[in-house]
Amino acid sequence: MGAYIIRRLLLMIPTLLGILLITFVILQFVPGGPVERIIAELTGDNVAATERISGSGSDLGNAPDPTQGVGQGNITSKYRGAQGLDPEFIADLERQFGLDKPAHERFALLLWNYIRFDFGESYFRKVDVIDLILEKLPVSASLGMWMLLLSYGISIPLGVAKAVRDGSKFDVWTSGVIVVGYAIPGFLFAILLIILFAGGSYLDLFPLRGLTSDNFEELSLAGKIVDYFWHLALPLFAMAIGAFTTITFLTKNSFLDEIRKQYVLTAHAKGLTERRVLYGHVFRNAMLIVIAGFPGAFIGAFFAESLLIETIFSLDGLGLLTFESVINRDYPVVLANLYIFGLVSLVLHLISDLTYTWIDPRIDFESREV
């Protein structure tokens, strides 16, 4: 197993390199980079999709007046909208964003910095990227971890119950409920919850913004816990409504496959109780396929699935941060998020493989090629 772990760790290096390289190349061809964004702000043509960035704009205190040199004749610029601006001003912007170097030098410097977990500074927020990510992490961590615990904690026992009662009324009506929940988009359900319970048109029972109240620090420990879950209830429910279906049916089908195998009949013939057979024998084998999907569910809960929910409930987390960074061409934040989530995903996949061997000792990764 030690050799397998070393091979997997070594394979993470080219995988992360590929993620960064592909993303870096794509960003070189995306129109409207950071320089164009500054030019658009100066010329009044800024069409950014979001204005929520605090401290928007670059630190241009030492840059020359952008209108200087306008009378030097027609100036051809590679940047759209830069006609009439001083070339020195454009050059200063390029130096500020590190775009004055060739692409291969910038990528080599990026790799060297990322190896040391130095993600640089945000283009438009004037703060270190790692500090920005750590600032937004608690929101995404709260949503992601509680959603995973809630969905797995309900879906696995429900899937086992449905497998044991396959074809019964309980199996039919629970399938109908979770399929309907899966069919409802999370963001639409979030809007419905706001209308019904957050002061929209009916009741005003839950807060609409943030994860804590303004007086959170003044509350007792019990009060802080209640306040935290009070704020978390609606966004968590909106995110989790569609998360039960896949895990529940996956668990049910895995259990049905195992229940029909010979070793289960043998266990029953030996007089073991139903509970002992299910949780002592079937459970370990049936959970392998569920464990396989955990890394993807984890990353999705922290990033992809939380974007719209964070926007609707005004929760400033990693999903919203990355979206705003893409829209506003804040490339250091975009690349750092992809690097971190890629690294976490690879580590989780390795942990999943190690969990396989713990649940089923018959699995031997050493005997196969990676």
Side-chain angles (χ1 to χ4, degrees), residues 164-213:
V164 173
R165 300 172 178 84
D166 184 41
S168 66
K169 290 183 179 180
F170 171 80
D171 182 37
V172 173
W173 74 260
T174 52
S175 295
V177 171
I178 60 179
V179 167
V180 170
Y182 182 76
I184 300 175
F187 71 93
L188 286 181
F189 193 68
I191 295 173
L192 177 63
L193 291 176
I194 290 174
I195 293 174
L196 294 178
F197 303 111
S201 299
Y202 297 93
L203 303 176
D204 188 8
L205 301 178
F206 294 92
L208 188 56
R209 295 177 179 274
L211 286 182
T212 56
S213 300

Side-chain angles (χ1 to χ4, degrees), residues 36-37 39-51 56 328:
E36 286 94 334
R37 181 168 183 261
I39 293 172
E41 289 182 349
L42 293 173
T43 57
D45 296 327
N46 186 20
V47 290
T50 175
E51 298 296 336
S56 177
N328 293 287

Side-chain angles (χ1 to χ4, degrees), residues 20-186:
L20 288 176
L21 179 60
I22 293 173
T23 307
F24 183 84
V25 171
I26 291 175
L27 292 179
Q28 305 311 302
F29 296 98
V30 173
V35 175
E36 286 94 334
R37 181 168 183 261
I38 297 299
I39 293 172
E41 289 182 349
L42 293 173
T43 57
D45 296 327
N46 186 20
V47 290
T50 175
E51 298 296 336
R52 294 186 57 185
I53 295 179
S54 60
S56 177
S58 299
D59 184 10
L60 303 177
N62 298 323
D65 187 338
T67 60
Q68 284 184 352
V70 174
Q72 297 174 358
N74 290 331
I75 301 171
T76 301
S77 175
K78 62 181 177 180
Y79 298 110
R80 184 179 59 183
Q83 188 72 22
L85 294 179
D86 182 17
E88 270 304 314
F89 174 76
I90 303 299
D92 187 80
L93 286 180
E94 290 183 334
R95 285 192 296 271
Q96 181 174 323
F97 294 121
L99 301 177
D100 56 326
K101 301 180 179 66
H104 67 278
E105 290 186 15
R106 286 187 278 123
F107 185 69
L109 179 61
L110 179 107
L111 291 180
W112 170 244
N113 289 334
Y114 276 34
I115 290 173
R116 299 177 292 124
F117 287 90
D118 179 7
F119 302 114
E121 188 176 90
S122 168
Y123 282 165
F124 303 109
R125 290 176 172 86
K126 303 176 186 177
V127 63
D128 287 342
V129 173
I130 190 64
D131 293 335
L132 192 60
I133 292 175
L134 292 176
E135 177 188 342
K136 312 297 182 183
L137 183 60
V139 173
S140 295
S142 296
L143 291 175
M145 292 304 299
W146 285 114
M147 196 201 80
L148 284 176
L149 290 174
L150 183 64
S151 59
Y152 273 77
I154 294 177
S155 297
I156 291 177
L158 180 59
V160 174
K162 287 173 65 63
V164 173
R165 300 172 178 84
D166 184 41
S168 66
K169 290 183 179 180
F170 171 80
D171 182 37
V172 173
W173 74 260
T174 52
S175 295
V177 171
I178 60 179
V179 167
V180 170
Y182 182 76
I184 300 175

Side-chain angles (χ1 to χ4, degrees), residues 163-305:
V164 173
R165 300 172 178 84
D166 184 41
S168 66
K169 290 183 179 180
F170 171 80
D171 182 37
V172 173
W173 74 260
T174 52
S175 295
V177 171
I178 60 179
V179 167
V180 170
Y182 182 76
I184 300 175
F187 71 93
L188 286 181
F189 193 68
I191 295 173
L192 177 63
L193 291 176
I194 290 174
I195 293 174
L196 294 178
F197 303 111
S201 299
Y202 297 93
L203 303 176
D204 188 8
L205 301 178
F206 294 92
L208 188 56
R209 295 177 179 274
L211 286 182
T212 56
S213 300
D214 294 336
N215 63 335
F216 181 78
E217 297 299 330
E218 303 173 4
L219 300 175
S220 63
L221 178 60
K224 289 181 179 179
I225 295 175
V226 171
D227 182 76
Y228 171 73
F229 284 105
W230 182 47
H231 283 76
L232 195 63
L234 293 188
L236 183 60
F237 193 28
M239 286 182 65
I241 188 66
F244 299 110
T245 308
T246 302
I247 304 172
T248 300
F249 282 119
L250 197 60
T251 303
K252 175 190 173 181
N253 293 333
S254 297
F255 264 79
L256 287 176
D257 290 340
E258 294 295 324
I259 286 173
R260 299 188 180 105
K261 291 183 178 179
Q262 185 64 42
Y263 75 89
V264 177
L265 298 177
T266 303
H268 281 298
K270 290 182 176 180
L272 297 180
T273 64
E274 183 73 14
R275 183 180 181 86
R276 178 72 180 274
V277 172
L278 284 176
Y279 293 98
H281 297 275
V282 176
F283 186 84
R284 296 178 67 179
N285 296 326
M287 282 298 98
L288 291 176
I289 193 170
V290 178
I291 292 172
F294 180 78
F298 182 88
I299 296 300
F302 267 78
F303 182 66
E305 298 176 7

